[in-house]
Amino acid sequence: MMNLSKFLTLFFAAALVLTSCSSDDDAPPPVSPEEVITTMIVTLTDGTDQVELRFFDEDGADGPTEPIGTVSGALKASTTYTGSISILNETEDPAENVNEEIQEEADEHQFFYIPTNLGVSTTYTDKESDYENAEGEQFPSENPVGLTFSMTTTADTGDGMLRFVLRHEPNKDAAGVSGGDITNAGGDPDIDWTFNVSVE
């Protein structure tokens, strides 16, 4: 009777271990968390002067702290600027450069620059094929990404707004999207912020 009791105890213990192992094997892989974006720095330079547009949200999109935007100065009328965008996660120390992820997923990202009551035009100066994916393979497409661009102001002066949007998984083949029209882009916003800008 004692031997049978011991046998049953060992049998159930072994079954429990096997069931636990099987359960672990069937568990789905952990999901990677979404990238945290705290900072966008847009740098505009005409070769002489530089204007910086800075968005900062210290705890990311899901945190309670309200983001702020600052502009270091006015743009000049009738001037062409070289533009670049830097995206950071400053909840990390040192700050994480999110540009690297955007470049590795260039086919899944595109910036849009949208002026309101502001005489400016923009042109993309980078494309997917400028970048490589995580495996080191160059993207074949000439579709834009928008980490770099040029911006030209008209002779008009005054105050307006300039909106910067980074879309994740936009439809780059939709009408107007490769030219910078966000209307048919779809996708999800990774960042969307409007700056108050003056042209003098």
Side-chain angles (χ1 to χ4, degrees):
M1 187 72 178
M2 183 65 71
N3 288 340
L4 179 60
S5 177
K6 287 182 179 178
F7 172 78
L8 290 174
T9 301
L10 289 172
F11 174 79
F12 285 120
L16 181 60
V17 169
L18 289 172
T19 302
S20 298
C21 290
S22 175
S23 178
D24 288 344
D25 291 342
D26 295 338
V31 177
S32 299
E34 290 185 10
E35 187 65 61
V36 175
I37 293 176
T38 62
T39 311
M40 175 174 64
I41 303 170
V42 181
T43 303
L44 301 169
T45 178
D46 65 356
T48 303
D49 298 315
Q50 179 174 296
V51 176
E52 182 179 282
L53 293 72
R54 182 182 177 93
F55 160 90
F56 182 62
D57 186 359
E58 67 178 6
D59 50 12
D62 296 328
T65 305
E66 289 295 317
I68 57 173
T70 57
V71 179
S72 66
L75 299 176
K76 302 174 187 175
S78 304
T79 302
T80 296
Y81 290 89
T82 298
S84 63
I85 302 175
S86 178
I87 304 293
L88 303 172
N89 173 11
E90 295 191 270
T91 64
E92 301 287 339
D93 186 17
E96 179 185 1
N97 183 356
V98 183
N99 282 35
E100 295 173 1
E101 180 176 330
I102 295 171
Q103 292 169 1
E104 289 179 353
E105 299 176 355
D107 59 335
E108 299 179 3
H109 291 89
Q110 185 174 337
F111 283 91
F112 296 87
Y113 329 110
I114 307 166
T116 301
N117 298 325
L118 200 64
V120 302
S121 60
T122 57
T123 303
Y124 293 108
T125 57
D126 69 345
K127 52 191 179 297
E128 291 176 24
S129 61
D130 293 329
Y131 306 113
E132 296 179 346
N133 63 24
E135 287 73 42
E137 300 165 338
Q138 186 177 21
F139 289 98
S141 173
E142 301 294 294
N143 283 329
V145 179
L147 285 166
T148 64
F149 61 98
S150 66
M151 177 177 291
T152 301
T153 59
T154 67
D156 296 335
T157 59
D159 299 330
M161 294 178 290
L162 189 54
R163 179 183 171 202
F164 286 82
V165 183
L166 173 59
R167 284 282 173 91
H168 183 227
E169 295 187 341
N171 181 2
K172 295 189 180 186
D173 295 325
V177 174
S178 63
D181 185 351
I182 200 172
T183 306
N184 301 312
D188 298 310
D190 280 339
I191 190 167
D192 188 336
W193 188 257
T194 301
F195 296 94
N196 295 315
V197 177
S198 297
V199 177
E200 298 177 351

